[in-house]
PDB file of all heavy atoms in Angstrom:
ATOM      1  N   PRO N   8     100.655 124.248 100.561  1.00 86.00           N
ATOM      2  CA  PRO N   8      99.656 123.136 100.526  1.00 86.00           C
ATOM      3  C   PRO N   8     100.102 121.803 100.971  1.00 86.00           C
ATOM      4  O   PRO N   8     101.246 121.380 100.687  1.00 86.00           O
ATOM      5  CB  PRO N   8      99.299 123.110  99.018  1.00 86.00           C
ATOM      6  CG  PRO N   8      99.702 124.400  98.435  1.00 86.00           C
ATOM      7  CD  PRO N   8     100.986 124.822  99.278  1.00 86.00           C
ATOM      8  N   SER N   9      99.329 121.100 101.700  1.00 85.00           N
ATOM      9  CA  SER N   9      99.627 119.817 102.232  1.00 85.00           C
ATOM     10  C   SER N   9      98.492 118.947 102.339  1.00 85.00           C
ATOM     11  O   SER N   9      97.284 119.416 102.703  1.00 85.00           O
ATOM     12  CB  SER N   9     100.331 120.022 103.679  1.00 85.00           C
ATOM     13  OG  SER N   9     100.487 118.714 104.280  1.00 85.00           O
ATOM     14  N   PHE N  10      98.527 117.680 102.072  1.00 89.00           N
ATOM     15  CA  PHE N  10      97.520 116.756 102.153  1.00 89.00           C
ATOM     16  C   PHE N  10      97.515 115.951 103.527  1.00 89.00           C
ATOM     17  O   PHE N  10      96.906 114.852 103.584  1.00 89.00           O
ATOM     18  CB  PHE N  10      97.538 115.693 101.044  1.00 89.00           C
ATOM     19  CG  PHE N  10      97.024 116.284  99.766  1.00 89.00           C
ATOM     20  CD1 PHE N  10      97.944 116.794  98.843  1.00 89.00           C
ATOM     21  CD2 PHE N  10      95.748 116.371  99.369  1.00 89.00           C
ATOM     22  CE1 PHE N  10      97.562 117.349  97.615  1.00 89.00           C
ATOM     23  CE2 PHE N  10      95.300 116.854  98.201  1.00 89.00           C
ATOM     24  CZ  PHE N  10      96.216 117.444  97.346  1.00 89.00           C
ATOM     25  N   ASP N  11      98.330 116.497 104.437  1.00 88.00           N
ATOM     26  CA  ASP N  11      98.310 115.785 105.822  1.00 88.00           C
ATOM     27  C   ASP N  11      96.960 115.717 106.436  1.00 88.00           C
ATOM     28  O   ASP N  11      96.692 114.672 107.172  1.00 88.00           O
ATOM     29  CB  ASP N  11      99.384 116.557 106.749  1.00 88.00           C
ATOM     30  CG  ASP N  11     100.742 116.375 106.233  1.00 88.00           C
ATOM     31  OD1 ASP N  11     101.062 115.477 105.438  1.00 88.00           O
ATOM     32  OD2 ASP N  11     101.616 117.229 106.597  1.00 88.00           O
ATOM     33  N   ALA N  12      96.184 116.738 106.208  1.00 88.00           N
ATOM     34  CA  ALA N  12      94.849 116.714 106.956  1.00 88.00           C
ATOM     35  C   ALA N  12      93.964 115.694 106.366  1.00 88.00           C
ATOM     36  O   ALA N  12      93.132 115.059 106.987  1.00 88.00           O
ATOM     37  CB  ALA N  12      94.218 118.059 106.807  1.00 88.00           C
ATOM     38  N   TRP N  13      94.044 115.476 105.065  1.00 91.00           N
ATOM     39  CA  TRP N  13      93.324 114.467 104.365  1.00 91.00           C
ATOM     40  C   TRP N  13      93.704 113.061 104.771  1.00 91.00           C
ATOM     41  O   TRP N  13      92.838 112.141 104.974  1.00 91.00           O
ATOM     42  CB  TRP N  13      93.576 114.494 102.802  1.00 91.00           C
ATOM     43  CG  TRP N  13      93.003 115.832 102.166  1.00 91.00           C
ATOM     44  CD1 TRP N  13      93.270 117.035 102.393  1.00 91.00           C
ATOM     45  CD2 TRP N  13      91.965 115.820 101.283  1.00 91.00           C
ATOM     46  NE1 TRP N  13      92.604 117.997 101.657  1.00 91.00           N
ATOM     47  CE2 TRP N  13      91.737 117.182 100.938  1.00 91.00           C
ATOM     48  CE3 TRP N  13      91.080 114.796 100.693  1.00 91.00           C
ATOM     49  CZ2 TRP N  13      90.683 117.537 100.073  1.00 91.00           C
ATOM     50  CZ3 TRP N  13      90.134 115.229  99.764  1.00 91.00           C
ATOM     51  CH2 TRP N  13      89.943 116.588  99.426  1.00 91.00           C
ATOM     52  N   ILE N  14      95.062 112.926 104.916  1.00 89.00           N
ATOM     53  CA  ILE N  14      95.540 111.511 105.430  1.00 89.00           C
ATOM     54  C   ILE N  14      95.023 111.263 106.790  1.00 89.00           C
ATOM     55  O   ILE N  14      94.560 110.166 107.141  1.00 89.00           O
ATOM     56  CB  ILE N  14      96.990 111.509 105.398  1.00 89.00           C
ATOM     57  CG1 ILE N  14      97.475 111.544 103.890  1.00 89.00           C
ATOM     58  CG2 ILE N  14      97.568 110.174 105.972  1.00 89.00           C
ATOM     59  CD1 ILE N  14      99.035 111.704 103.720  1.00 89.00           C
ATOM     60  N   LYS N  15      95.080 112.284 107.696  1.00 88.00           N
ATOM     61  CA  LYS N  15      94.643 112.104 109.008  1.00 88.00           C
ATOM     62  C   LYS N  15      93.193 111.915 109.098  1.00 88.00           C
ATOM     63  O   LYS N  15      92.622 111.083 109.850  1.00 88.00           O
ATOM     64  CB  LYS N  15      95.010 113.343 109.935  1.00 88.00           C
ATOM     65  CG  LYS N  15      94.665 113.276 111.397  1.00 88.00           C
ATOM     66  CD  LYS N  15      95.223 114.397 112.154  1.00 88.00           C
ATOM     67  CE  LYS N  15      94.943 114.107 113.565  1.00 88.00           C
ATOM     68  NZ  LYS N  15      95.462 115.304 114.450  1.00 88.00           N
ATOM     69  N   ALA N  16      92.338 112.697 108.306  1.00 87.00           N
ATOM     70  CA  ALA N  16      90.903 112.497 108.273  1.00 87.00           C
ATOM     71  C   ALA N  16      90.589 110.975 107.818  1.00 87.00           C
ATOM     72  O   ALA N  16      89.660 110.438 108.347  1.00 87.00           O
ATOM     73  CB  ALA N  16      90.217 113.462 107.329  1.00 87.00           C
ATOM     74  N   TRP N  17      91.334 110.511 106.889  1.00 89.00           N
ATOM     75  CA  TRP N  17      91.027 109.118 106.397  1.00 89.00           C
ATOM     76  C   TRP N  17      91.385 108.063 107.364  1.00 89.00           C
ATOM     77  O   TRP N  17      90.617 107.077 107.484  1.00 89.00           O
ATOM     78  CB  TRP N  17      91.699 108.987 105.128  1.00 89.00           C
ATOM     79  CG  TRP N  17      91.533 107.652 104.455  1.00 89.00           C
ATOM     80  CD1 TRP N  17      92.407 106.540 104.360  1.00 89.00           C
ATOM     81  CD2 TRP N  17      90.356 107.231 103.776  1.00 89.00           C
ATOM     82  NE1 TRP N  17      91.793 105.578 103.678  1.00 89.00           N
ATOM     83  CE2 TRP N  17      90.624 105.817 103.305  1.00 89.00           C
ATOM     84  CE3 TRP N  17      89.094 107.756 103.472  1.00 89.00           C
ATOM     85  CZ2 TRP N  17      89.751 105.116 102.591  1.00 89.00           C
ATOM     86  CZ3 TRP N  17      88.233 107.022 102.740  1.00 89.00           C
ATOM     87  CH2 TRP N  17      88.409 105.723 102.395  1.00 89.00           C
ATOM     88  N   SER N  18      92.485 108.213 108.067  1.00 85.00           N
ATOM     89  CA  SER N  18      92.968 107.027 108.858  1.00 85.00           C
ATOM     90  C   SER N  18      93.191 107.251 110.338  1.00 85.00           C
ATOM     91  O   SER N  18      93.455 106.313 110.995  1.00 85.00           O
ATOM     92  CB  SER N  18      94.339 106.534 108.234  1.00 85.00           C
ATOM     93  OG  SER N  18      95.254 107.566 108.223  1.00 85.00           O
ATOM     94  N   GLN N  19      93.217 108.569 110.763  1.00 82.00           N
ATOM     95  CA  GLN N  19      93.498 108.762 112.172  1.00 82.00           C
ATOM     96  C   GLN N  19      92.429 109.707 112.917  1.00 82.00           C
ATOM     97  O   GLN N  19      92.675 110.004 114.048  1.00 82.00           O
ATOM     98  CB  GLN N  19      94.868 109.505 112.228  1.00 82.00           C
ATOM     99  CG  GLN N  19      96.029 108.711 111.671  1.00 82.00           C
ATOM    100  CD  GLN N  19      97.306 109.433 111.562  1.00 82.00           C
ATOM    101  OE1 GLN N  19      97.477 110.423 112.315  1.00 82.00           O
ATOM    102  NE2 GLN N  19      98.286 108.866 110.945  1.00 82.00           N
ATOM    103  N   ALA N  20      91.504 110.292 112.204  1.00 80.00           N
ATOM    104  CA  ALA N  20      90.519 111.224 112.873  1.00 80.00           C
ATOM    105  C   ALA N  20      89.817 110.429 113.988  1.00 80.00           C
ATOM    106  O   ALA N  20      89.491 109.229 113.766  1.00 80.00           O
ATOM    107  CB  ALA N  20      89.609 111.746 111.831  1.00 80.00           C
ATOM    108  N   CYS N  21      89.489 111.202 115.087  1.00 76.00           N
ATOM    109  CA  CYS N  21      88.989 110.570 116.231  1.00 76.00           C
ATOM    110  C   CYS N  21      87.425 110.736 116.219  1.00 76.00           C
ATOM    111  O   CYS N  21      86.995 111.872 116.071  1.00 76.00           O
ATOM    112  CB  CYS N  21      89.559 111.013 117.459  1.00 76.00           C
ATOM    113  SG  CYS N  21      91.262 110.763 117.742  1.00 76.00           S
ATOM    114  N   THR N  22      86.655 109.757 116.491  1.00 74.00           N
ATOM    115  CA  THR N  22      85.202 109.799 116.739  1.00 74.00           C
ATOM    116  C   THR N  22      85.073 109.295 118.174  1.00 74.00           C
ATOM    117  O   THR N  22      84.922 108.187 118.461  1.00 74.00           O
ATOM    118  CB  THR N  22      84.409 108.916 115.731  1.00 74.00           C
ATOM    119  OG1 THR N  22      84.945 107.620 115.853  1.00 74.00           O
ATOM    120  CG2 THR N  22      84.650 109.443 114.269  1.00 74.00           C
ATOM    121  N   GLY N  23      85.063 110.243 119.066  1.00 67.00           N
ATOM    122  CA  GLY N  23      85.091 109.860 120.526  1.00 67.00           C
ATOM    123  C   GLY N  23      86.423 109.390 120.876  1.00 67.00           C
ATOM    124  O   GLY N  23      87.487 110.076 120.653  1.00 67.00           O
ATOM    125  N   LEU N  24      86.475 108.108 121.404  1.00 70.00           N
ATOM    126  CA  LEU N  24      87.700 107.522 121.863  1.00 70.00           C
ATOM    127  C   LEU N  24      88.385 106.593 120.712  1.00 70.00           C
ATOM    128  O   LEU N  24      89.474 106.092 120.854  1.00 70.00           O
ATOM    129  CB  LEU N  24      87.566 106.693 123.055  1.00 70.00           C
ATOM    130  CG  LEU N  24      87.072 107.488 124.364  1.00 70.00           C
ATOM    131  CD1 LEU N  24      86.885 106.472 125.461  1.00 70.00           C
ATOM    132  CD2 LEU N  24      88.116 108.522 124.728  1.00 70.00           C
ATOM    133  N   ASN N  25      87.666 106.597 119.540  1.00 74.00           N
ATOM    134  CA  ASN N  25      88.162 105.671 118.448  1.00 74.00           C
ATOM    135  C   ASN N  25      88.841 106.643 117.508  1.00 74.00           C
ATOM    136  O   ASN N  25      88.179 107.449 116.935  1.00 74.00           O
ATOM    137  CB  ASN N  25      86.935 105.049 117.909  1.00 74.00           C
ATOM    138  CG  ASN N  25      87.315 103.951 116.801  1.00 74.00           C
ATOM    139  OD1 ASN N  25      88.647 103.815 116.590  1.00 74.00           O
ATOM    140  ND2 ASN N  25      86.450 103.414 116.096  1.00 74.00           N
ATOM    141  N   CYS N  26      90.071 106.308 117.178  1.00 77.00           N
ATOM    142  CA  CYS N  26      90.850 107.219 116.190  1.00 77.00           C
ATOM    143  C   CYS N  26      91.306 106.437 115.125  1.00 77.00           C
ATOM    144  O   CYS N  26      92.530 106.349 114.773  1.00 77.00           O
ATOM    145  CB  CYS N  26      92.032 107.785 117.035  1.00 77.00           C
ATOM    146  SG  CYS N  26      91.565 108.916 118.362  1.00 77.00           S
ATOM    147  N   GLU N  27      90.395 105.817 114.404  1.00 80.00           N
ATOM    148  CA  GLU N  27      90.630 105.065 113.232  1.00 80.00           C
ATOM    149  C   GLU N  27      90.412 105.762 111.881  1.00 80.00           C
ATOM    150  O   GLU N  27      90.460 105.104 110.860  1.00 80.00           O
ATOM    151  CB  GLU N  27      89.989 103.708 113.179  1.00 80.00           C
ATOM    152  CG  GLU N  27      90.467 102.794 114.347  1.00 80.00           C
ATOM    153  CD  GLU N  27      89.743 101.405 114.383  1.00 80.00           C
ATOM    154  OE1 GLU N  27      88.868 101.298 113.448  1.00 80.00           O
ATOM    155  OE2 GLU N  27      89.975 100.621 115.279  1.00 80.00           O
ATOM    156  N   GLY N  28      89.908 107.000 111.967  1.00 81.00           N
ATOM    157  CA  GLY N  28      89.664 107.650 110.730  1.00 81.00           C
ATOM    158  C   GLY N  28      88.269 107.303 110.164  1.00 81.00           C
ATOM    159  O   GLY N  28      87.483 106.496 110.743  1.00 81.00           O
ATOM    160  N   ILE N  29      87.792 107.955 109.087  1.00 85.00           N
ATOM    161  CA  ILE N  29      86.502 107.794 108.599  1.00 85.00           C
ATOM    162  C   ILE N  29      86.435 106.708 107.427  1.00 85.00           C
ATOM    163  O   ILE N  29      85.384 106.466 106.883  1.00 85.00           O
ATOM    164  CB  ILE N  29      85.887 109.070 108.046  1.00 85.00           C
ATOM    165  CG1 ILE N  29      86.879 109.656 106.766  1.00 85.00           C
ATOM    166  CG2 ILE N  29      85.757 110.088 109.086  1.00 85.00           C
ATOM    167  CD1 ILE N  29      86.201 110.738 106.112  1.00 85.00           C
ATOM    168  N   HIS N  30      87.636 105.995 107.148  1.00 85.00           N
ATOM    169  CA  HIS N  30      87.505 104.962 106.164  1.00 85.00           C
ATOM    170  C   HIS N  30      86.681 103.890 106.626  1.00 85.00           C
ATOM    171  O   HIS N  30      86.135 103.155 105.757  1.00 85.00           O
ATOM    172  CB  HIS N  30      89.000 104.493 105.886  1.00 85.00           C
ATOM    173  CG  HIS N  30      89.555 103.670 106.908  1.00 85.00           C
ATOM    174  ND1 HIS N  30      90.153 104.117 108.038  1.00 85.00           N
ATOM    175  CD2 HIS N  30      89.732 102.273 107.104  1.00 85.00           C
ATOM    176  CE1 HIS N  30      90.647 103.167 108.793  1.00 85.00           C
ATOM    177  NE2 HIS N  30      90.398 101.987 108.224  1.00 85.00           N
ATOM    178  N   VAL N  31      86.589 103.608 107.900  1.00 85.00           N
ATOM    179  CA  VAL N  31      85.676 102.555 108.438  1.00 85.00           C
ATOM    180  C   VAL N  31      84.241 102.969 108.075  1.00 85.00           C
ATOM    181  O   VAL N  31      83.376 102.022 107.623  1.00 85.00           O
ATOM    182  CB  VAL N  31      85.876 102.360 109.913  1.00 85.00           C
ATOM    183  CG1 VAL N  31      84.943 101.285 110.441  1.00 85.00           C
ATOM    184  CG2 VAL N  31      87.281 101.974 110.212  1.00 85.00           C
ATOM    185  N   GLY N  32      83.865 104.107 108.321  1.00 86.00           N
ATOM    186  CA  GLY N  32      82.515 104.621 107.896  1.00 86.00           C
ATOM    187  C   GLY N  32      82.214 104.497 106.475  1.00 86.00           C
ATOM    188  O   GLY N  32      81.128 104.164 106.047  1.00 86.00           O
ATOM    189  N   MET N  33      83.186 104.689 105.606  1.00 88.00           N
ATOM    190  CA  MET N  33      83.034 104.629 104.087  1.00 88.00           C
ATOM    191  C   MET N  33      82.725 103.056 103.851  1.00 88.00           C
ATOM    192  O   MET N  33      81.838 102.775 102.951  1.00 88.00           O
ATOM    193  CB  MET N  33      84.246 104.995 103.326  1.00 88.00           C
ATOM    194  CG  MET N  33      84.164 104.818 101.877  1.00 88.00           C
ATOM    195  SD  MET N  33      85.343 105.558 100.831  1.00 88.00           S
ATOM    196  CE  MET N  33      84.752 107.220 100.730  1.00 88.00           C
ATOM    197  N   LEU N  34      83.513 102.095 104.409  1.00 90.00           N
ATOM    198  CA  LEU N  34      83.249 100.729 104.132  1.00 90.00           C
ATOM    199  C   LEU N  34      81.748 100.417 104.569  1.00 90.00           C
ATOM    200  O   LEU N  34      81.041  99.719 103.852  1.00 90.00           O
ATOM    201  CB  LEU N  34      84.228  99.833 104.865  1.00 90.00           C
ATOM    202  CG  LEU N  34      85.718 100.083 104.332  1.00 90.00           C
ATOM    203  CD1 LEU N  34      86.639  99.124 105.195  1.00 90.00           C
ATOM    204  CD2 LEU N  34      85.711  99.662 102.868  1.00 90.00           C
ATOM    205  N   ASN N  35      81.326 100.896 105.774  1.00 91.00           N
ATOM    206  CA  ASN N  35      80.017 100.672 106.130  1.00 91.00           C
ATOM    207  C   ASN N  35      78.939 101.283 105.263  1.00 91.00           C
ATOM    208  O   ASN N  35      77.902 100.624 105.065  1.00 91.00           O
ATOM    209  CB  ASN N  35      79.862 101.163 107.617  1.00 91.00           C
ATOM    210  CG  ASN N  35      80.614 100.429 108.657  1.00 91.00           C
ATOM    211  OD1 ASN N  35      80.901  99.211 108.456  1.00 91.00           O
ATOM    212  ND2 ASN N  35      80.890 101.121 109.722  1.00 91.00           N
ATOM    213  N   SER N  36      79.228 102.446 104.750  1.00 92.00           N
ATOM    214  CA  SER N  36      78.350 103.108 103.894  1.00 92.00           C
ATOM    215  C   SER N  36      78.114 102.276 102.629  1.00 92.00           C
ATOM    216  O   SER N  36      77.065 102.141 102.065  1.00 92.00           O
ATOM    217  CB  SER N  36      78.788 104.535 103.538  1.00 92.00           C
ATOM    218  OG  SER N  36      78.750 105.363 104.633  1.00 92.00           O
ATOM    219  N   ILE N  37      79.255 101.770 102.138  1.00 93.00           N
ATOM    220  CA  ILE N  37      79.121 100.954 100.835  1.00 93.00           C
ATOM    221  C   ILE N  37      78.384  99.643 101.032  1.00 93.00           C
ATOM    222  O   ILE N  37      77.538  99.217 100.273  1.00 93.00           O
ATOM    223  CB  ILE N  37      80.634 100.655 100.292  1.00 93.00           C
ATOM    224  CG1 ILE N  37      81.293 101.920  99.925  1.00 93.00           C
ATOM    225  CG2 ILE N  37      80.550  99.635  99.261  1.00 93.00           C
ATOM    226  CD1 ILE N  37      82.773 101.680  99.508  1.00 93.00           C
ATOM    227  N   LYS N  38      78.601  99.072 102.265  1.00 92.00           N
ATOM    228  CA  LYS N  38      77.875  97.823 102.577  1.00 92.00           C
ATOM    229  C   LYS N  38      76.314  98.198 102.648  1.00 92.00           C
ATOM    230  O   LYS N  38      75.549  97.251 102.379  1.00 92.00           O
ATOM    231  CB  LYS N  38      78.349  97.298 103.890  1.00 92.00           C
ATOM    232  CG  LYS N  38      79.786  96.681 103.873  1.00 92.00           C
ATOM    233  CD  LYS N  38      80.149  96.246 105.229  1.00 92.00           C
ATOM    234  CE  LYS N  38      81.651  95.696 105.332  1.00 92.00           C
ATOM    235  NZ  LYS N  38      82.050  95.378 106.697  1.00 92.00           N
ATOM    236  N   ILE N  39      75.954  99.298 103.114  1.00 93.00           N
ATOM    237  CA  ILE N  39      74.547  99.700 103.177  1.00 93.00           C
ATOM    238  C   ILE N  39      74.078 100.038 101.852  1.00 93.00           C
ATOM    239  O   ILE N  39      72.955  99.710 101.580  1.00 93.00           O
ATOM    240  CB  ILE N  39      74.469 100.830 104.272  1.00 93.00           C
ATOM    241  CG1 ILE N  39      74.783 100.351 105.650  1.00 93.00           C
ATOM    242  CG2 ILE N  39      73.045 101.344 104.108  1.00 93.00           C
ATOM    243  CD1 ILE N  39      74.858 101.500 106.692  1.00 93.00           C
ATOM    244  N   LEU N  40      74.873 100.944 101.116  1.00 93.00           N
ATOM    245  CA  LEU N  40      74.372 101.400  99.808  1.00 93.00           C
ATOM    246  C   LEU N  40      74.051 100.368  98.745  1.00 93.00           C
ATOM    247  O   LEU N  40      72.958 100.453  98.211  1.00 93.00           O
ATOM    248  CB  LEU N  40      75.404 102.456  99.364  1.00 93.00           C
ATOM    249  CG  LEU N  40      75.188 103.182  97.988  1.00 93.00           C
ATOM    250  CD1 LEU N  40      74.069 104.055  98.119  1.00 93.00           C
ATOM    251  CD2 LEU N  40      76.452 103.670  97.523  1.00 93.00           C
ATOM    252  N   ILE N  41      74.929  99.535  98.464  1.00 94.00           N
ATOM    253  CA  ILE N  41      74.756  98.655  97.343  1.00 94.00           C
ATOM    254  C   ILE N  41      73.526  97.722  97.435  1.00 94.00           C
ATOM    255  O   ILE N  41      72.720  97.767  96.598  1.00 94.00           O
ATOM    256  CB  ILE N  41      76.021  97.771  97.178  1.00 94.00           C
ATOM    257  CG1 ILE N  41      77.218  98.697  96.792  1.00 94.00           C
ATOM    258  CG2 ILE N  41      75.853  96.655  96.169  1.00 94.00           C
ATOM    259  CD1 ILE N  41      78.487  97.972  96.684  1.00 94.00           C
ATOM    260  N   PRO N  42      73.305  96.930  98.532  1.00 95.00           N
ATOM    261  CA  PRO N  42      72.141  96.199  98.645  1.00 95.00           C
ATOM    262  C   PRO N  42      70.892  97.048  98.715  1.00 95.00           C
ATOM    263  O   PRO N  42      69.809  96.660  98.155  1.00 95.00           O
ATOM    264  CB  PRO N  42      72.240  95.375  99.858  1.00 95.00           C
ATOM    265  CG  PRO N  42      73.301  96.049 100.696  1.00 95.00           C
ATOM    266  CD  PRO N  42      74.193  96.710  99.645  1.00 95.00           C
ATOM    267  N   SER N  43      70.956  98.167  99.332  1.00 94.00           N
ATOM    268  CA  SER N  43      69.696  98.994  99.488  1.00 94.00           C
ATOM    269  C   SER N  43      69.330  99.489  98.034  1.00 94.00           C
ATOM    270  O   SER N  43      68.066  99.556  97.783  1.00 94.00           O
ATOM    271  CB  SER N  43      69.926 100.224 100.451  1.00 94.00           C
ATOM    272  OG  SER N  43      70.370  99.807 101.773  1.00 94.00           O
ATOM    273  N   VAL N  44      70.188  99.963  97.287  1.00 94.00           N
ATOM    274  CA  VAL N  44      69.860 100.483  95.988  1.00 94.00           C
ATOM    275  C   VAL N  44      69.396  99.456  95.067  1.00 94.00           C
ATOM    276  O   VAL N  44      68.296  99.544  94.428  1.00 94.00           O
ATOM    277  CB  VAL N  44      71.128 101.176  95.326  1.00 94.00           C
ATOM    278  CG1 VAL N  44      70.876 101.393  93.843  1.00 94.00           C
ATOM    279  CG2 VAL N  44      71.472 102.380  96.084  1.00 94.00           C
TER     280      VAL N  44
END
């Protein structure tokens, strides 16, 4: 067992040519979620 895939998904996964992971999307989701709720 290894958490390397989790680390890569969080900080290095590629969405097209952008390889910054999905942590950027989580921050955007939080910015959308809190005021909307």
Side-chain angles (χ1 to χ4, degrees):
S9 172
F10 286 93
D11 292 341
W13 291 67
I14 297 173
K15 185 173 183 179
W17 179 255
S18 59
Q19 300 175 15
C21 295
T22 58
L24 299 177
N25 186 5
C26 296
E27 296 181 356
I29 61 172
H30 74 280
V31 178
M33 174 170 279
L34 295 176
N35 291 333
S36 293
I37 293 174
K38 293 177 183 178
I39 294 170
L40 177 70
I41 293 176
S43 298
V44 171

